[in-house]
Amino acid sequence: MSSSCKPVPAHLSLLSLLLLSSCSAPSADRAILPQADSSPPDIRIVTPAAHATLQEEYLPIEVEYGRQNEVLNQSSFQARLNGQDITGQFDQHSRGASATIRAGRVLRLGENELVVVIADKAGTPFRSEARFVYTRAGSLMLTHVIHTEPAGLCCVGISPDGSLIVAGKGDGFVQIWRVDRSRPTNLPQFKAHRRGVTAVAFSPDGAWLATGGDEGSVRLWAVSARQPERRFILRGHWRAISSLTFSADGRMLASGGRDGTIRLWHLANNKWEEHRVLAGHRLDVSALSFSSDGNVLVSGGWDRTVRQWHLDRADGGLTLTGHKDPVAAVAVFPSSTTVLSAGSSGSLIRWDSDSQPAIGKVLQRNGDKVTRLLSFDEHARLASLYQNGRMLTWDTTDLTNIDTLMLPPGIRSAAVSSGRYVATLHDTGAIYILKKRDGTGGAPKGGR
């Protein structure tokens, strides 16, 4: 008997909305695998059970054939997990088939769909499927999934303690959720900009929320227990804001614009004022990242360059060239002399700015589109997050790939906060909230 979507018990509050929404969602596998006959149960998935919530690193799969197995064509057996063929990982026996799948490459955080099909000797296919939720991979744990309307959502932010999630919208509003252990609560949205909201960022202490608008202004909101309150409007850019980031001490805010400039805003006497303008990029400033001491700012642009700005100097910064496509994300090593940059087509370059001229070492030439770099901790690790849902963890000391995990594809935006929380916004409108598991070493921090 094929597994089907059933009401999720109330005690499964963690991901019940995800499972319920999947009941009506069309399956891509249905167009790939033969459609099932509604005949007796010639094949069924025993493990994992439908709607199960799993955390183990390895997933055992058990498929059972019916009493009519003597008429089945075992060579016709097919299995797909999230649309990927895993047939070759199964061992078949007289009563069924079994496999063990490791988390990371096919098994993903969130909802998974397993589909198996076998035909009888007359060619009639029989199908079984099971949807289940996987909540742990490597050092990260999936804690909540928020479902929203995808239209107009462009960017996501998460507070340092993980208690607030914000999403900027194309109509100028910001949606906000308060997160507790049981489930996220949708708070009233607020109007932040006349036109679209193009960037959001929380300060490291959680006291400020910065929003950037399509009209070119930056707005600072005091984060209160009820709802953010607008305190400052910062003007200077003459085109849309494309990136925002705070320094580690929270007293400096950098805004990158589609006008090619970077503006530094300084907090003094509880007032935000313009501190400095950095000009050098010829096109949109798409990515910004401060060093941990706040003395260095790294920027990436659509002009395919990376720039390293020493903020105690008045020069035009160090220009790093090597990308053949727009720069999507940048991050700074704790030493402030080493920089990571990601191109929009998937290229990943490590730069040593101490050398003359600066040397770039390519970690990855081309691949999937990079959405975000989640940068460094005391263990010298970096995570690169891709639009197709992959997250690769790198050991930056020897440039080796340590681990791979998967999220659902279509990552539109991502945010990381305080080294413990990650939020990803997907094309479906879903927002995934991840938390570093205790005792698993450092987690990604800042950087875009």
Side-chain angles (χ1 to χ4, degrees):
M1 180 180 299
S2 298
S3 300
S4 59
C5 291
K6 301 176 182 177
V8 180
H11 68 276
L12 293 180
S13 59
L14 171 64
L15 295 169
S16 59
L17 287 176
L18 187 153
L19 289 168
L20 284 171
S21 67
S22 71
C23 292
S24 58
S27 168
D29 291 334
R30 297 182 192 277
I32 300 171
L33 294 173
Q35 294 300 299
D37 195 306
S38 58
S39 301
D42 285 271
I43 185 171
R44 73 183 183 97
I45 298 170
V46 179
T47 305
H51 308 321
T53 298
L54 307 173
Q55 297 185 6
E56 293 75 14
E57 183 179 0
Y58 291 90
L59 171 69
I61 301 175
E62 290 292 337
V63 177
E64 184 179 89
Y65 300 152
R67 289 177 297 174
Q68 303 90 343
N69 72 305
E70 64 273 6
V71 299
L72 296 178
N73 178 6
Q74 292 195 7
S75 64
S76 68
F77 177 85
Q78 297 179 60
R80 287 184 178 270
L81 180 58
N82 300 322
Q84 295 193 44
D85 189 354
I86 59 170
T87 305
Q89 300 191 47
F90 277 81
D91 293 319
Q92 293 197 64
H93 46 83
S94 61
R95 301 296 297 172
S98 59
T100 300
I101 306 297
R102 184 178 181 181
R105 298 188 181 276
V106 182
L107 187 63
R108 65 191 182 202
L109 284 171
E111 187 196 17
N112 292 261
E113 183 184 47
L114 173 64
V115 179
V116 293
V117 171
I118 196 169
D120 63 17
K121 293 183 178 178
T124 302
F126 302 95
R127 171 190 179 109
S128 181
E129 63 182 73
R131 297 174 188 266
F132 59 94
V133 173
Y134 187 69
T135 63
R136 188 181 77 181
S139 64
L140 294 175
M141 191 80 146
L142 177 64
T143 61
H144 297 87
V145 178
I146 300 171
H147 288 279
T148 69
E149 290 296 326
L153 292 178
C154 69
C155 49
V156 68
I158 185 168
S159 64
D161 62 359
S163 66
L164 290 176
I165 303 292
V166 296
K169 301 173 64 179
D171 59 4
F173 280 86
V174 171
Q175 281 190 258
I176 185 166
W177 296 265
R178 185 169 300 282
V179 180
D180 58 27
R181 290 188 176 183
S182 58
R183 59 180 300 174
T185 302
N186 194 357
L187 302 179
Q189 63 178 357
F190 61 93
K191 184 73 169 178
H193 293 267
R194 295 194 310 272
R195 302 206 297 266
V197 178
T198 54
V200 294
F202 279 97
S203 63
D205 61 1
W208 297 98
L209 169 66
T211 62
D214 192 52
E215 82 288 349
S217 72
V218 176
R219 305 192 177 198
L220 272 299
W221 307 78
V223 179
S224 66
R226 292 177 296 177
Q227 192 172 11
E229 300 175 0
R230 193 183 73 192
R231 296 289 177 84
F232 300 96
I233 301 177
L234 310 179
R235 294 186 172 93
H237 291 283
W238 55 273
R239 293 189 66 189
I241 306 301
S242 47
S243 52
L244 291 168
T245 191
F246 282 90
S247 61
D249 63 5
R251 302 189 67 81
M252 189 78 75
L253 170 67
S255 58
R258 291 178 184 167
D259 57 8
T261 67
I262 302 164
R263 293 180 182 267
L264 300 178
W265 313 90
H266 185 252
L267 176 64
N269 299 319
N270 206 34
K271 186 177 181 180
W272 287 94
E273 295 181 331
E274 186 173 279
H275 174 68
R276 185 177 173 185
V277 178
L278 304 175
H281 287 286
R282 291 179 285 108
L283 296 171
D284 304 28
V285 179
S286 50
L288 294 167
S289 180
F290 277 104
S291 62
S292 56
D293 60 10
N295 293 328
V296 174
L297 176 70
V298 173
S299 59
W302 281 19
D303 58 5
R304 301 180 292 180
T305 68
V306 175
R307 289 180 178 261
Q308 186 180 44
W309 311 86
H310 289 268
L311 301 183
D312 57 351
R313 304 175 190 171
D315 58 28
L318 176 64
T319 303
L320 307 174
T321 58
H323 284 286
K324 302 189 182 303
D325 48 8
V327 178
V330 293
V332 191
F333 276 59
S335 67
S336 302
T337 62
T338 304
V339 173
L340 259 292
S341 60
S344 59
S345 67
S347 57
L348 194 62
I349 301 177
R350 170 177 166 162
W351 305 91
D352 181 4
S353 61
D354 257 356
S355 60
Q356 295 296 329
I359 297 174
K361 183 177 179 62
V362 178
L363 278 73
Q364 179 175 289
R365 293 196 176 277
N366 287 292
D368 303 309
K369 183 177 180 180
V370 176
T371 298
R372 187 73 186 264
L373 291 178
L374 311 176
S375 63
F376 307 93
D377 56 24
E378 65 275 20
H379 298 275
R381 294 176 183 172
L382 161 74
S384 50
L385 187 59
Y386 297 82
Q387 192 177 47
N388 69 354
R390 278 197 312 153
M391 182 186 287
L392 302 182
T393 304
W394 303 83
D395 184 333
T396 56
T397 58
D398 57 7
L399 307 180
T400 55
N401 178 214
I402 301 171
D403 195 17
T404 301
L405 65 86
M406 290 296 297
L407 286 160
I411 296 178
R412 184 179 298 181
S413 173
V416 62
S417 191
S418 73
R420 289 185 60 82
Y421 300 96
V422 177
T424 59
L425 169 63
H426 297 252
D427 289 341
T428 60
I431 298 173
Y432 280 66
I433 305 170
L434 312 175
K435 180 182 179 182
K436 184 184 80 73
R437 293 189 296 117
D438 293 333
T440 57
K445 297 182 181 178
R448 175 177 176 177

